[in-house]
Structure formats: C-alpha cells, structure tokens
Amino acid sequence: MNHSTPEPKPVHLAVYDTFADWETGHTTAYLARAGREIRTVGPNREPVKTVGGVRIQPDLALDELRPEDSSLLILTGADLWDTGDDLAPFARKARAFLDAGVPVAAICGGTAGLAREGLLDDRAHTSAVSFYLAATGYKGGERYVDADAVTDGNLVTAGPTEPVAFAREVFGLLGVYEGEVLDAWYRLFHDSDPEAYAVLEKAGQ
C-alpha cells in the first residue's frame, strides 16, 4: 500500500493591473523551491501588467477558483485597491476562502480590500499604517497591531515594506519552514545575517 503524503494543493497568487512586483517575490519563490505549485489568478484570463511593467498571463480566472482546490490565496498590493472597486471581487473570494477554512495572505493594498469586505473587523491584523485602514471606514481599528506582519488563525497581513516578514508568516502558517529554520531564513533575508546561512545549509542537507 502507498502511504505517501498527498501532493499539497496549489498556492494561488492573485494578479491584476498595477500589482506591486516586490511584495510577494520572496513568498512565491521560496514556496516554489519547497515544492509548492504557484498558480496565478486574474480578474479573467487576459494578461495583466504589474506596476513594474511586467506582463503576466493568469493561469485561471477568479470565478474559476474554488477554495477546496487551493492551499492559500495571496492578495498582493496594487494601486487599483485604492482607486475604486475593481478588485472587490478578490476580497469577496478571500471571504469564501476564510469561510471554508482555507488560508489567505494579504499585503499592502490587499489589506485595505479585506478591511472594506469586513474581514478585519474581528481578526488581529496589520497594514502600512493604522490610518490607511481607518480610511476604509472599517470597524476593526481596535484589532490593529503595529507589527511587521501578523497571523490570526488562517489570515496573514503585512504592510508594503515587509515582504520578508510576510513570507515568514506564510511559511510558518503552511508549515513550509519551522522553528530555527524559519527564524534563520528571516534573519538571512531581512538582516543579512551570515550565521543564518549556515543554519539553512545544514537544514537543506
């Protein structure tokens, strides 16, 4: 009999015009290195263009994405979060994921989208600054945490200047890296700590 662990479900990265290139690079690169499949999900299947001018062809459209087919939905920042309701369907999808017990990770503008959707009213969270979220009119101000990144249950949030802390929280939530290895990964990429490299080397053997 074959008792091998089933393949983990893919991680879904939301992509849309003005997507902030730098915010999820560490997260997706190291999830992929750990053997996780990354699939991009756009508003539809038309190509999108990041804030850095990189064209991305989505693997699937938002309405094709089901929480039961995913291990995580990542919502990246984008100018579009703050200029209208174009990305509101992505926040509604995040609600479906959280309702189904599937994790969501949001950074920068993605956190404002979740705030508008009411998903931060009763969860500890962070963002760029508290008044950025306060401007959404949400009711979760008392749950705001002044930290680089925050995990509450199945939800990770971070501000735009914390892509490494964001990745750390995602890896911890998914169990990709744990304990001293997770700590060493963060120290290497956040603090350029040379001693952390040795820990990762040893763990990789």
Side-chain angles (χ1 to χ4, degrees):
M1 286 175 66
N2 185 0
H3 288 296
S4 65
T5 14
E7 281 286 297
K9 293 173 183 176
V11 167
H12 288 89
L13 175 69
V15 295
Y16 19 71
D17 287 330
T18 72
F19 154 64
D21 307 62
W22 67 93
E23 290 178 351
T24 56
H26 292 85
T27 305
T28 52
Y30 281 85
L31 285 174
R33 284 191 157 178
R36 296 301 184 105
E37 181 190 1
I38 309 293
R39 294 186 56 106
T40 51
V41 52
N44 47 49
R45 287 186 174 233
E46 294 298 307
V48 299
K49 195 174 267 190
T50 71
V51 77
V54 177
R55 262 169 60 98
I56 299 174
Q57 176 73 56
D59 294 314
L60 69 164
L62 185 62
D63 60 9
E64 298 174 88
L65 176 61
R66 305 183 316 166
E68 58 265 35
D69 298 332
S70 183
S71 61
L72 172 72
L73 174 62
I74 301 173
L75 297 181
T76 305
D79 296 343
L80 284 180
W81 283 113
D82 300 319
T83 55
D85 292 330
D86 290 359
L87 301 185
F90 284 91
R92 287 196 290 274
K93 186 67 74 172
R95 176 182 289 282
F97 266 62
L98 292 169
D99 286 349
V102 182
V104 171
I107 187 167
C108 188
T111 62
L114 297 184
R116 287 185 201 99
E117 182 61 23
L119 295 172
L120 303 183
D121 289 352
D122 50 8
R123 291 177 174 92
H125 59 275
T126 193
S127 182
V129 282
S130 58
F131 52 81
Y132 170 65
L133 290 186
T136 67
Y138 85 135
K139 300 179 179 69
E142 290 179 359
R143 304 300 305 273
Y144 187 90
V145 182
D146 201 1
D148 55 7
V150 171
T151 300
D152 185 342
N154 275 333
L155 179 69
V156 171
T157 50
T161 58
E162 298 294 346
V164 181
F166 181 68
R168 177 196 67 208
E169 296 299 306
V170 169
F171 302 155
L173 185 61
L174 296 183
V176 171
Y177 299 128
E178 294 170 301
E180 66 168 9
V181 176
L182 181 60
D183 177 59
W185 184 91
Y186 180 75
R187 284 188 291 119
L188 180 64
F189 286 96
H190 189 264
D191 306 326
S192 303
D193 180 350
E195 288 174 14
Y197 186 74
V199 179
L200 293 177
E201 276 286 276
K202 190 175 162 195
Q205 282 164 9

